[in-house]
PDB file of all heavy atoms in Angstrom:
ATOM      1  N   TYR S 109     208.571 206.518 192.382  1.00 97.00           N
ATOM      2  CA  TYR S 109     209.256 207.630 191.724  1.00 97.00           C
ATOM      3  C   TYR S 109     209.778 207.074 190.413  1.00 97.00           C
ATOM      4  O   TYR S 109     210.570 206.129 190.411  1.00 97.00           O
ATOM      5  CB  TYR S 109     210.423 208.132 192.584  1.00 97.00           C
ATOM      6  CG  TYR S 109     209.972 208.700 193.900  1.00 97.00           C
ATOM      7  CD1 TYR S 109     209.717 207.868 194.986  1.00 97.00           C
ATOM      8  CD2 TYR S 109     209.787 210.064 194.051  1.00 97.00           C
ATOM      9  CE1 TYR S 109     209.290 208.388 196.197  1.00 97.00           C
ATOM     10  CE2 TYR S 109     209.366 210.599 195.263  1.00 97.00           C
ATOM     11  CZ  TYR S 109     209.115 209.747 196.328  1.00 97.00           C
ATOM     12  OH  TYR S 109     208.697 210.262 197.530  1.00 97.00           O
ATOM     13  N   LYS S 110     209.327 207.637 189.290  1.00 97.00           N
ATOM     14  CA  LYS S 110     209.714 207.084 187.998  1.00 97.00           C
ATOM     15  C   LYS S 110     210.068 208.192 187.021  1.00 97.00           C
ATOM     16  O   LYS S 110     209.671 209.347 187.193  1.00 97.00           O
ATOM     17  CB  LYS S 110     208.627 206.178 187.441  1.00 97.00           C
ATOM     18  CG  LYS S 110     207.272 206.810 187.308  1.00 97.00           C
ATOM     19  CD  LYS S 110     206.230 205.777 186.916  1.00 97.00           C
ATOM     20  CE  LYS S 110     204.861 206.437 186.839  1.00 97.00           C
ATOM     21  NZ  LYS S 110     203.862 205.507 186.366  1.00 97.00           N
ATOM     22  N   GLN S 111     210.825 207.795 186.006  1.00 98.00           N
ATOM     23  CA  GLN S 111     211.316 208.763 185.029  1.00 98.00           C
ATOM     24  C   GLN S 111     211.655 208.036 183.737  1.00 98.00           C
ATOM     25  O   GLN S 111     212.039 206.870 183.759  1.00 98.00           O
ATOM     26  CB  GLN S 111     212.580 209.440 185.581  1.00 98.00           C
ATOM     27  CG  GLN S 111     213.108 210.574 184.757  1.00 98.00           C
ATOM     28  CD  GLN S 111     212.209 211.800 184.847  1.00 98.00           C
ATOM     29  OE1 GLN S 111     211.735 212.162 185.908  1.00 98.00           O
ATOM     30  NE2 GLN S 111     211.958 212.428 183.721  1.00 98.00           N
ATOM     31  N   THR S 112     211.532 208.726 182.623  1.00 98.00           N
ATOM     32  CA  THR S 112     212.036 208.220 181.346  1.00 98.00           C
ATOM     33  C   THR S 112     213.380 208.888 181.101  1.00 98.00           C
ATOM     34  O   THR S 112     213.484 210.118 181.148  1.00 98.00           O
ATOM     35  CB  THR S 112     211.057 208.539 180.200  1.00 98.00           C
ATOM     36  OG1 THR S 112     209.813 207.872 180.472  1.00 98.00           O
ATOM     37  CG2 THR S 112     211.608 208.060 178.867  1.00 98.00           C
ATOM     38  N   LEU S 113     214.401 208.079 180.877  1.00 98.00           N
ATOM     39  CA  LEU S 113     215.763 208.569 180.675  1.00 98.00           C
ATOM     40  C   LEU S 113     216.203 208.330 179.248  1.00 98.00           C
ATOM     41  O   LEU S 113     215.896 207.293 178.658  1.00 98.00           O
ATOM     42  CB  LEU S 113     216.736 207.846 181.606  1.00 98.00           C
ATOM     43  CG  LEU S 113     216.412 207.833 183.104  1.00 98.00           C
ATOM     44  CD1 LEU S 113     217.453 207.007 183.847  1.00 98.00           C
ATOM     45  CD2 LEU S 113     216.341 209.237 183.650  1.00 98.00           C
ATOM     46  N   THR S 114     216.960 209.265 178.695  1.00 98.00           N
ATOM     47  CA  THR S 114     217.584 209.095 177.384  1.00 98.00           C
ATOM     48  C   THR S 114     219.093 209.153 177.568  1.00 98.00           C
ATOM     49  O   THR S 114     219.595 209.468 178.660  1.00 98.00           O
ATOM     50  CB  THR S 114     217.111 210.173 176.392  1.00 98.00           C
ATOM     51  OG1 THR S 114     217.461 211.458 176.911  1.00 98.00           O
ATOM     52  CG2 THR S 114     215.607 210.088 176.165  1.00 98.00           C
ATOM     53  N   ALA S 115     219.839 208.874 176.501  1.00 97.00           N
ATOM     54  CA  ALA S 115     221.301 208.850 176.569  1.00 97.00           C
ATOM     55  C   ALA S 115     221.822 210.133 177.209  1.00 97.00           C
ATOM     56  O   ALA S 115     221.419 211.241 176.852  1.00 97.00           O
ATOM     57  CB  ALA S 115     221.884 208.666 175.182  1.00 97.00           C
ATOM     58  N   GLY S 116     222.683 209.967 178.212  1.00 97.00           N
ATOM     59  CA  GLY S 116     223.257 211.090 178.939  1.00 97.00           C
ATOM     60  C   GLY S 116     222.539 211.410 180.234  1.00 97.00           C
ATOM     61  O   GLY S 116     223.062 212.138 181.073  1.00 97.00           O
ATOM     62  N   ASP S 117     221.320 210.879 180.433  1.00 98.00           N
ATOM     63  CA  ASP S 117     220.570 211.124 181.662  1.00 98.00           C
ATOM     64  C   ASP S 117     221.036 210.188 182.776  1.00 98.00           C
ATOM     65  O   ASP S 117     221.430 209.046 182.525  1.00 98.00           O
ATOM     66  CB  ASP S 117     219.068 210.896 181.451  1.00 98.00           C
ATOM     67  CG  ASP S 117     218.420 211.941 180.565  1.00 98.00           C
ATOM     68  OD1 ASP S 117     219.020 213.020 180.361  1.00 98.00           O
ATOM     69  OD2 ASP S 117     217.302 211.676 180.079  1.00 98.00           O
ATOM     70  N   MET S 118     220.938 210.701 184.016  1.00 98.00           N
ATOM     71  CA  MET S 118     221.292 209.910 185.195  1.00 98.00           C
ATOM     72  C   MET S 118     220.099 209.866 186.147  1.00 98.00           C
ATOM     73  O   MET S 118     219.271 210.776 186.157  1.00 98.00           O
ATOM     74  CB  MET S 118     222.487 210.522 185.917  1.00 98.00           C
ATOM     75  CG  MET S 118     223.750 210.550 185.085  1.00 98.00           C
ATOM     76  SD  MET S 118     225.087 211.384 185.943  1.00 98.00           S
ATOM     77  CE  MET S 118     225.695 210.027 186.920  1.00 98.00           C
ATOM     78  N   PHE S 119     220.066 208.793 186.960  1.00 98.00           N
ATOM     79  CA  PHE S 119     219.003 208.618 187.946  1.00 98.00           C
ATOM     80  C   PHE S 119     219.611 207.900 189.148  1.00 98.00           C
ATOM     81  O   PHE S 119     220.396 206.964 188.981  1.00 98.00           O
ATOM     82  CB  PHE S 119     217.873 207.774 187.340  1.00 98.00           C
ATOM     83  CG  PHE S 119     216.601 207.766 188.133  1.00 98.00           C
ATOM     84  CD1 PHE S 119     215.658 208.766 187.973  1.00 98.00           C
ATOM     85  CD2 PHE S 119     216.322 206.740 189.025  1.00 98.00           C
ATOM     86  CE1 PHE S 119     214.458 208.765 188.684  1.00 98.00           C
ATOM     87  CE2 PHE S 119     215.124 206.714 189.744  1.00 98.00           C
ATOM     88  CZ  PHE S 119     214.193 207.734 189.571  1.00 98.00           C
ATOM     89  N   VAL S 120     219.258 208.319 190.357  1.00 97.00           N
ATOM     90  CA  VAL S 120     219.777 207.666 191.556  1.00 97.00           C
ATOM     91  C   VAL S 120     218.679 206.799 192.178  1.00 97.00           C
ATOM     92  O   VAL S 120     217.516 207.211 192.263  1.00 97.00           O
ATOM     93  CB  VAL S 120     220.334 208.679 192.585  1.00 97.00           C
ATOM     94  CG1 VAL S 120     219.251 209.575 193.145  1.00 97.00           C
ATOM     95  CG2 VAL S 120     221.082 207.970 193.694  1.00 97.00           C
ATOM     96  N   PHE S 121     219.073 205.596 192.562  1.00 97.00           N
ATOM     97  CA  PHE S 121     218.199 204.666 193.267  1.00 97.00           C
ATOM     98  C   PHE S 121     218.730 204.565 194.697  1.00 97.00           C
ATOM     99  O   PHE S 121     219.842 204.083 194.913  1.00 97.00           O
ATOM    100  CB  PHE S 121     218.223 203.280 192.608  1.00 97.00           C
ATOM    101  CG  PHE S 121     217.788 203.292 191.170  1.00 97.00           C
ATOM    102  CD1 PHE S 121     218.716 203.398 190.154  1.00 97.00           C
ATOM    103  CD2 PHE S 121     216.445 203.200 190.834  1.00 97.00           C
ATOM    104  CE1 PHE S 121     218.326 203.413 188.822  1.00 97.00           C
ATOM    105  CE2 PHE S 121     216.041 203.209 189.508  1.00 97.00           C
ATOM    106  CZ  PHE S 121     216.985 203.315 188.503  1.00 97.00           C
ATOM    107  N   PRO S 122     217.965 205.020 195.694  1.00 96.00           N
ATOM    108  CA  PRO S 122     218.444 204.983 197.076  1.00 96.00           C
ATOM    109  C   PRO S 122     218.749 203.561 197.564  1.00 96.00           C
ATOM    110  O   PRO S 122     218.109 202.596 197.145  1.00 96.00           O
ATOM    111  CB  PRO S 122     217.286 205.596 197.878  1.00 96.00           C
ATOM    112  CG  PRO S 122     216.582 206.472 196.888  1.00 96.00           C
ATOM    113  CD  PRO S 122     216.672 205.712 195.588  1.00 96.00           C
ATOM    114  N   LYS S 123     219.709 203.472 198.446  1.00 95.00           N
ATOM    115  CA  LYS S 123     220.165 202.189 198.988  1.00 95.00           C
ATOM    116  C   LYS S 123     219.014 201.394 199.584  1.00 95.00           C
ATOM    117  O   LYS S 123     218.210 201.917 200.360  1.00 95.00           O
ATOM    118  CB  LYS S 123     221.234 202.435 200.051  1.00 95.00           C
ATOM    119  CG  LYS S 123     221.713 201.180 200.747  1.00 95.00           C
ATOM    120  CD  LYS S 123     222.984 201.370 201.517  1.00 95.00           C
ATOM    121  CE  LYS S 123     222.830 202.009 202.828  1.00 95.00           C
ATOM    122  NZ  LYS S 123     224.087 202.042 203.604  1.00 95.00           N
ATOM    123  N   GLY S 124     218.923 200.131 199.197  1.00 95.00           N
ATOM    124  CA  GLY S 124     217.970 199.204 199.787  1.00 95.00           C
ATOM    125  C   GLY S 124     216.549 199.276 199.266  1.00 95.00           C
ATOM    126  O   GLY S 124     215.733 198.435 199.628  1.00 95.00           O
TER     127      GLY S 124
END
Side-chain angles (χ1 to χ4, degrees):
Y109 296 83
K110 56 187 178 175
Q111 187 71 43
T112 298
L113 307 177
T114 60
D117 291 343
M118 297 176 84
F119 193 85
V120 65
F121 301 94
K123 176 165 79 174

